[in-house]
Structures are given as C-alpha cells and as structure tokens.
Amino acid sequence: MDSISDIARRLADNAESVCRRYLPRGRREGRYWLVGNIHGAPGRSLYVRLSASVEGGGRVGKWTDAESGEHGDLLDIIAASCGHRSMHDTLAEARRFLSLPMPCHDGEASSTRRASKAPSGSPEAARRLWAASRRLAGSIADRYLSTRAIVGAPGEPALRSHPRCYYRASAGDAPGVRRAWPALIAAVTDEKDAVTGVHRTWLDPAGGKAPVANPRRAMGQLLGNGVRFGASGPVMIAGEGLETILSLRQIAPSLPMIAGLSAAHLAAIRFPGVLRRLYVARDDDAAGEAAVKTLSERAGAAGIELVPLHSVRDDFNTDLCALGRADVRTRLAAQLAECDRGHLQSE
C-alpha cells in the first residue's frame, strides 16, 4: 500500500489538477496557483508551487500563505477543502483523486496529524512568515534599499524578502487594491535572539513602496523587542525606523543597533544588562521627542548614559540620501563620544 510520502509525491506530480479540484476559485500565474487562503477563498495570498524553477529550487506542491506565514503540502489543501478532521479521511480522499486502491484496514498513524494554524498576527504566525521568506540578495527589497542609499543589506541576518506578502486592505485603500506585494521582511527578536515578530515593508515592483494606505506594518510580540543588528554590547544605538538604523549601519557597521519600529516601542525597548551608553537616533517630531524623554528617564534609573543623535532633516535616511555618506559621517562623529568614534567606517 502507498505510504503517506508516496501519496504526497503523487499529488505533487499532479499539483495543478489538485488545485483546480480543491481550490477552484484560484488561478494559475506562471509557476504558481494563486488563491485567497487554504479554504479556497478568492484572492492572491496563498500560492502553490506547480513546477520547479529553472534553477531547480522549490518543491512542487508546497504552498505558503503570505498573510499568516503558514505553509504545507497538498494534503493540507485537501483536508481544508473537504473539512476533514482526521488524516485518515484526507488520505482516503487523496486516494480517490489519484485512483489508488483503498487500504483494507485503518492503519494510518496518528503521528501524521498536521500542526494547527497559528492565529493571525501572533508570534507564531510571524515566525512562519519569517521561515517562508527568502534571502535578500537580488530581490526587489534589495533593490529598494539601494535606492535609499543603503548597500550591503543582504549581509544583515535580520533582513529577508518575500515575493508575494499578503496585504490586508484598510479603510484608506482604494477599492480593489492588490492583496499581495513584494515585501522587505525584518525579524523582531528578544534578548535571546528568538523571533517574536516581523516587520513588513510592502514594495512596488516598479520602484518605491507599494501604493497602499499602510505600506509598513508589524506583527507579533513587539513590546520590549526590536529588529537587532549585531550582538548587544555596552554601547548601542537605538532608533525608531528600520531605514534610520540601516542608514546609521552604513556609517558605523560595528556598533550594535536596534530598531524599535515605532516611537512607542522605541521608548519601551528592554535594556541589555551589559548596556552602559545608549545613543538614540530620534525622529524629528513630537512622538520622537516623547520617546527620547521616556527612554532618558528609564536609562537614568538604570544607570545608563543616554545620548540623543540629531539628524539635519527629518531622519538619518533622508540625510543619507540628500547629503551623502561623508556628510552624515562627519555630523555623526561630532555627536559620538570620542571613545566610540573608532566604530565609524573610514571615508
């Protein structure tokens, strides 16, 4: 009798037929079958690989939901489509689809049960989206960062890309807005480097951010955590925006840094036990001023020196794009303690 892996392989050999049967409201685009979710709703969030790439990468029959980060194989799709509550029922349906003989006994192992779905927006959903994301090098996200004067980003372990990340429309979006866009994905981690969330920046393949009402969103457990660059140390830089911190990484790549992703979350970042001096790259607005005030009070109570870093314009990425690396380096050097200037990259 065919094993579960044999059945999964046979389904993959007939991936498009499986999708047409069990996800009929989707459609084929290139090497993928696109549909709204694993239950077959209209949309483009979930994509099933129908054929291998030219390079031979990717497993046919595997699917990923860009909204939730969930992923699986064609057996999951059959189970969801038919509303099955046991693997036995799913395998029986798969055998019927493949015209395979039925087993003469109920011998399917309970160990084949699938992992339950993660709630939308949860840390588990964030981890699954992170796992489903790809390397940054050569991606639309990589090209986007280069237009913001940020180079070398593919070397940052906290950054990945996603070719079709689900976007949930909001009240500010035009009717019929696309539901999936390429995206820059950043991992939000705790002090033990465990992924607790992700930050998504949706992008337009033609250039710039996606034309949506909210091109940046975070999900998961953010409070106290952030997007980290480098291991924690006695001296660190914290900032609100991801691009602000990546801009400063262009100038001082050996200094540990963390992006809080919003003024409120910047104010709430947890201080590593080894931290003695914290530079804060504040945004030039009321929220940025309030974040620095809160951080200053917390740092003082913890015996940590806090030093604000001021940009010329609204943030350091605007400075980097408008003024250039040499100018930003000079202005940053004037704000760092003399003993920390060795972290600055040579001109």
Side-chain angles (χ1 to χ4, degrees):
M1 187 58 60
D2 298 279
S3 67
I4 295 174
S5 60
D6 289 333
I7 292 174
R9 177 181 54 77
R10 288 172 181 260
L11 290 172
D13 290 341
N14 297 274
E16 184 170 351
S17 296
V18 174
C19 291
R20 290 188 182 279
R21 168 76 70 83
Y22 298 101
L23 299 173
R25 287 187 282 184
R27 65 177 182 177
R28 178 167 187 156
E29 286 192 16
R31 295 194 301 272
Y32 298 95
W33 187 265
L34 304 181
V35 71
N37 57 35
I38 196 173
H39 300 288
R44 300 167 61 88
S45 172
L46 185 143
Y47 54 95
V48 185
R49 183 177 287 275
L50 302 180
S51 62
S53 65
V54 176
E55 297 81 11
R59 294 176 61 184
V60 176
K62 293 297 182 179
W63 60 270
T64 299
D65 189 322
E67 176 185 13
S68 67
E70 294 175 304
H71 52 90
D73 60 20
L74 295 171
L75 284 169
D76 297 302
I77 287 173
I78 293 174
S81 173
C82 298
H84 292 154
R85 303 187 65 168
S86 72
M87 179 55 69
H88 171 78
D89 292 339
T90 300
L91 290 171
E93 176 64 24
R95 289 188 173 104
R96 280 191 289 270
F97 174 82
L98 295 167
S99 300
L100 295 175
M102 292 292 174
C104 59
H105 58 83
D106 188 13
E108 309 298 352
S110 61
S111 61
T112 60
R113 288 180 297 177
R114 305 289 171 169
S116 60
K117 293 180 176 63
S120 178
S122 67
E124 179 58 27
R127 284 189 283 270
R128 293 187 183 187
L129 177 55
W130 177 249
S133 299
R134 306 176 182 178
R135 63 189 183 93
L136 192 64
S139 66
I140 290 172
D142 188 10
R143 295 197 295 273
Y144 164 76
L145 290 174
S146 68
T147 69
R148 304 304 303 164
I150 296 168
V151 298
E156 300 286 4
L159 301 179
R160 292 182 183 176
S161 68
H162 199 294
R164 299 188 58 80
C165 186
Y166 177 77
Y167 175 78
R168 186 185 299 278
S170 65
D173 283 300
V177 66
R178 276 176 52 180
R179 305 301 293 271
W181 300 84
L184 170 66
I185 309 295
V188 177
T189 57
D190 61 18
E191 294 177 77
K192 297 181 180 179
D193 290 327
V195 175
T196 65
V198 292
H199 182 268
R200 298 153 291 176
T201 304
W202 283 278
L203 305 170
D204 189 339
K209 295 184 181 68
V212 296
N214 299 293
R216 294 190 182 105
R217 286 177 184 164
M219 62 187 290
Q221 178 58 51
L222 308 182
L223 190 64
N225 304 318
V227 182
R228 300 171 191 272
F229 301 92
S232 298
V235 180
M236 296 181 65
I237 295 180
E240 179 179 336
L242 185 61
E243 290 175 28
T244 288
I245 290 298
L246 287 172
S247 297
L248 292 172
R249 293 284 286 173
Q250 304 295 295
I251 312 301
S254 63
L255 261 179
M257 302 188 190
I258 181 171
L261 303 177
S262 74
H265 287 107
L266 171 62
I269 59 170
R270 294 191 184 95
F271 298 141
V274 296
L275 185 63
R276 294 296 174 265
R277 180 160 51 252
L278 180 66
Y279 293 100
V280 181
R282 53 157 294 185
D283 284 6
D284 189 17
D285 55 23
E289 182 178 356
V292 171
K293 181 180 179 181
T294 300
L295 274 174
S296 181
E297 294 170 353
R298 293 181 55 221
I304 296 168
E305 178 187 6
L306 187 138
V307 181
L309 297 176
H310 299 277
S311 59
V312 176
R313 306 196 178 189
D314 57 333
D315 62 39
F316 280 96
N317 186 247
T318 303
D319 281 5
L320 184 64
C321 293
L323 306 176
R325 185 177 303 201
D327 189 287
V328 175
R329 184 189 187 282
T330 299
R331 296 176 187 276
L332 183 61
Q335 299 181 66
L336 295 182
E338 185 174 357
C339 58
D340 295 332
R341 293 172 189 166
H343 291 283
L344 296 175
Q345 196 168 53
S346 301
E347 295 185 44

